Amino acid sequence: MKKTLTLLTVVALALPLAMATVPANAQSMTVAANTQIKHITYTIVSHKTFKTAKNYHTNSLKSTVYQGLIAADQPTINLTAKSHLKAYTTYKVTQQVKVKLTSKKQASLSYIKGHGWVRTDTLSAGKLTATKYIILSSSFYKTAKTYHTKDAKPVVYQASIAADRPTMTLKAKRNLKSSTTYKVTKQVKLKATTSKKNRTFVYVKGQGWVLKSSLTAGQFKRAD
């Protein structure tokens, strides 16, 4: 009993959360990583604090941010959904806790500095980096070409082109909508500085650069 109380005290002091008592009848629930929920209670298995904050970034999925409440009398954390992280953005993680989903499954929660708790499996380790390419060829269309997306939501990249050399740096910034028609005005053939593989990107009017292979020529037509 003393060991349990000691663990709870250490966790409570270390986590930047408001203290609150979770109802005794609260139970842990299993939920998919990208599922939006309002409230959930997990049993805490372990906790660690990082002396130096670690970099993590989001991808197309906008991770749900939860406000966390640690129980005063038991090793549980109660989460309440409050917002989302931005897609394709780097964040600082200062703490992580491992929680029990079921009797056999566990999951990790990361504390995002200045935001709250998120499921670690909705993040990717490291900073979100831009990829530098060598421009092999480029072309502009006098008349915009029509392309559309299907079920997928292709990534849209922001580009910066060097003024003194034929290079283009692409950084993910958002996604196109699925099942939508777009206009393409430019095309470039690129070679990554770290790879021998060539890739073709097209400029979607009003959006940004998209990998050409992720689009389909023509206007989107809904099935009858």
Side-chain angles (χ1 to χ4, degrees), residues 198-217:
N198 297 336
R199 310 182 78 184
T200 300
F201 287 83
V202 292
Y203 184 79
V204 178
K205 188 176 181 180
Q207 303 294 326
W209 293 92
V210 177
L211 190 63
K212 187 177 182 180
S213 59
S214 65
L215 300 175
T216 302

Side-chain angles (χ1 to χ4, degrees), residues 78-99:
N78 181 264
L79 304 176
T80 302
K82 64 173 186 177
S83 60
H84 289 86
L85 296 180
K86 294 180 180 179
Y88 303 112
T89 305
T90 299
Y91 293 94
K92 295 290 185 180
V93 170
T94 57
Q95 303 174 59
Q96 285 181 338
V97 293
K98 188 173 290 185
V99 297

Side-chain angles (χ1 to χ4, degrees), residues 13 41 60 135 148 153 177 197:
L13 291 175
T41 300
S60 59
I135 301 174
H148 69 270
K153 298 179 179 179
K177 295 179 180 179
K197 186 176 181 180

Side-chain angles (χ1 to χ4, degrees), residues 119-193:
R119 283 278 296 261
T120 307
D121 54 7
T122 67
L123 304 171
S124 294
K127 289 184 178 181
L128 183 67
T129 57
T131 303
K132 189 174 183 179
Y133 294 92
I134 297 172
I135 301 174
L136 301 177
S137 64
S138 62
S139 57
F140 296 81
Y141 304 136
K142 291 182 179 180
T143 303
K145 294 188 176 183
T146 302
Y147 282 82
H148 69 270
T149 55
K150 293 185 177 180
D151 295 334
K153 298 179 179 179
V155 177
V156 178
Y157 296 90
Q158 179 179 3
S160 57
I161 301 175
D164 58 347
R165 58 180 65 87
T167 59
M168 175 185 281
T169 301
L170 298 180
K171 184 175 182 180
K173 63 174 184 177
R174 59 174 181 271
N175 294 75
L176 293 181
K177 295 179 180 179
S178 61
S179 307
T180 304
T181 299
Y182 292 96
K183 293 294 184 179
V184 168
T185 59
K186 310 172 190 176
Q187 177 175 300
V188 291
K189 189 174 183 180
L190 308 174
K191 178 182 179 181
T193 56

